[in-house]
PDB file of all heavy atoms in Angstrom:
ATOM      1  N   GLN A 472     112.350 109.148  86.588  1.00 94.00           N
ATOM      2  CA  GLN A 472     111.856 107.952  87.276  1.00 94.00           C
ATOM      3  C   GLN A 472     112.204 108.036  88.762  1.00 94.00           C
ATOM      4  O   GLN A 472     111.937 107.090  89.511  1.00 94.00           O
ATOM      5  CB  GLN A 472     112.468 106.688  86.660  1.00 94.00           C
ATOM      6  CG  GLN A 472     112.077 106.466  85.210  1.00 94.00           C
ATOM      7  CD  GLN A 472     110.581 106.296  85.033  1.00 94.00           C
ATOM      8  OE1 GLN A 472     109.967 105.438  85.658  1.00 94.00           O
ATOM      9  NE2 GLN A 472     109.984 107.133  84.192  1.00 94.00           N
ATOM     10  N   ASN A 473     112.815 109.133  89.162  1.00 94.00           N
ATOM     11  CA  ASN A 473     113.244 109.321  90.537  1.00 94.00           C
ATOM     12  C   ASN A 473     112.688 110.636  91.100  1.00 94.00           C
ATOM     13  O   ASN A 473     113.383 111.364  91.794  1.00 94.00           O
ATOM     14  CB  ASN A 473     114.781 109.315  90.611  1.00 94.00           C
ATOM     15  CG  ASN A 473     115.292 109.310  92.031  1.00 94.00           C
ATOM     16  OD1 ASN A 473     114.701 108.703  92.916  1.00 94.00           O
ATOM     17  ND2 ASN A 473     116.402 110.001  92.258  1.00 94.00           N
ATOM     18  N   LEU A 474     111.445 110.953  90.749  1.00 92.00           N
ATOM     19  CA  LEU A 474     110.836 112.201  91.221  1.00 92.00           C
ATOM     20  C   LEU A 474     110.822 112.264  92.735  1.00 92.00           C
ATOM     21  O   LEU A 474     110.643 111.254  93.374  1.00 92.00           O
ATOM     22  CB  LEU A 474     109.403 112.330  90.688  1.00 92.00           C
ATOM     23  CG  LEU A 474     109.290 112.576  89.191  1.00 92.00           C
ATOM     24  CD1 LEU A 474     107.834 112.476  88.757  1.00 92.00           C
ATOM     25  CD2 LEU A 474     109.867 113.930  88.824  1.00 92.00           C
ATOM     26  N   PRO A 475     111.073 113.421  93.314  1.00 94.00           N
ATOM     27  CA  PRO A 475     111.114 114.734  92.676  1.00 94.00           C
ATOM     28  C   PRO A 475     112.487 115.121  92.135  1.00 94.00           C
ATOM     29  O   PRO A 475     112.672 116.255  91.731  1.00 94.00           O
ATOM     30  CB  PRO A 475     110.695 115.665  93.813  1.00 94.00           C
ATOM     31  CG  PRO A 475     111.276 115.019  95.032  1.00 94.00           C
ATOM     32  CD  PRO A 475     111.105 113.531  94.786  1.00 94.00           C
ATOM     33  N   PHE A 476     113.396 114.169  92.087  1.00 96.00           N
ATOM     34  CA  PHE A 476     114.748 114.502  91.652  1.00 96.00           C
ATOM     35  C   PHE A 476     114.994 114.107  90.201  1.00 96.00           C
ATOM     36  O   PHE A 476     114.397 113.163  89.693  1.00 96.00           O
ATOM     37  CB  PHE A 476     115.776 113.832  92.570  1.00 96.00           C
ATOM     38  CG  PHE A 476     115.594 114.223  94.004  1.00 96.00           C
ATOM     39  CD1 PHE A 476     115.093 113.321  94.927  1.00 96.00           C
ATOM     40  CD2 PHE A 476     115.875 115.513  94.424  1.00 96.00           C
ATOM     41  CE1 PHE A 476     114.883 113.689  96.244  1.00 96.00           C
ATOM     42  CE2 PHE A 476     115.677 115.896  95.732  1.00 96.00           C
ATOM     43  CZ  PHE A 476     115.173 114.995  96.645  1.00 96.00           C
ATOM     44  N   CYS A 477     115.904 114.829  89.572  1.00 95.00           N
ATOM     45  CA  CYS A 477     116.282 114.584  88.177  1.00 95.00           C
ATOM     46  C   CYS A 477     117.062 113.274  88.075  1.00 95.00           C
ATOM     47  O   CYS A 477     117.896 112.981  88.927  1.00 95.00           O
ATOM     48  CB  CYS A 477     117.141 115.756  87.701  1.00 95.00           C
ATOM     49  SG  CYS A 477     117.815 115.547  86.048  1.00 95.00           S
ATOM     50  N   ASP A 478     116.778 112.514  87.025  1.00 94.00           N
ATOM     51  CA  ASP A 478     117.569 111.312  86.741  1.00 94.00           C
ATOM     52  C   ASP A 478     118.251 111.417  85.380  1.00 94.00           C
ATOM     53  O   ASP A 478     118.777 110.434  84.870  1.00 94.00           O
ATOM     54  CB  ASP A 478     116.711 110.051  86.829  1.00 94.00           C
ATOM     55  CG  ASP A 478     115.695 109.947  85.708  1.00 94.00           C
ATOM     56  OD1 ASP A 478     115.569 110.895  84.902  1.00 94.00           O
ATOM     57  OD2 ASP A 478     115.014 108.904  85.634  1.00 94.00           O
ATOM     58  N   GLY A 479     118.230 112.613  84.776  1.00 90.00           N
ATOM     59  CA  GLY A 479     118.886 112.826  83.494  1.00 90.00           C
ATOM     60  C   GLY A 479     118.007 112.529  82.293  1.00 90.00           C
ATOM     61  O   GLY A 479     118.459 112.606  81.155  1.00 90.00           O
ATOM     62  N   THR A 480     116.747 112.187  82.509  1.00 89.00           N
ATOM     63  CA  THR A 480     115.842 111.821  81.419  1.00 89.00           C
ATOM     64  C   THR A 480     115.382 113.011  80.598  1.00 89.00           C
ATOM     65  O   THR A 480     114.988 112.840  79.452  1.00 89.00           O
ATOM     66  CB  THR A 480     114.596 111.097  81.992  1.00 89.00           C
ATOM     67  OG1 THR A 480     115.030 109.956  82.710  1.00 89.00           O
ATOM     68  CG2 THR A 480     113.631 110.671  80.905  1.00 89.00           C
ATOM     69  N   HIS A 481     115.460 114.221  81.153  1.00 83.00           N
ATOM     70  CA  HIS A 481     114.895 115.405  80.494  1.00 83.00           C
ATOM     71  C   HIS A 481     115.391 115.562  79.063  1.00 83.00           C
ATOM     72  O   HIS A 481     116.542 115.269  78.759  1.00 83.00           O
ATOM     73  CB  HIS A 481     115.212 116.672  81.292  1.00 83.00           C
ATOM     74  CG  HIS A 481     116.663 116.849  81.600  1.00 83.00           C
ATOM     75  ND1 HIS A 481     117.256 116.326  82.728  1.00 83.00           N
ATOM     76  CD2 HIS A 481     117.645 117.467  80.919  1.00 83.00           C
ATOM     77  CE1 HIS A 481     118.542 116.635  82.735  1.00 83.00           C
ATOM     78  NE2 HIS A 481     118.802 117.324  81.649  1.00 83.00           N
TER      79      HIS A 481
END
Side-chain angles (χ1 to χ4, degrees):
Q472 296 299 305
N473 188 35
L474 290 172
F476 303 108
C477 175
D478 69 355
T480 302
H481 53 271

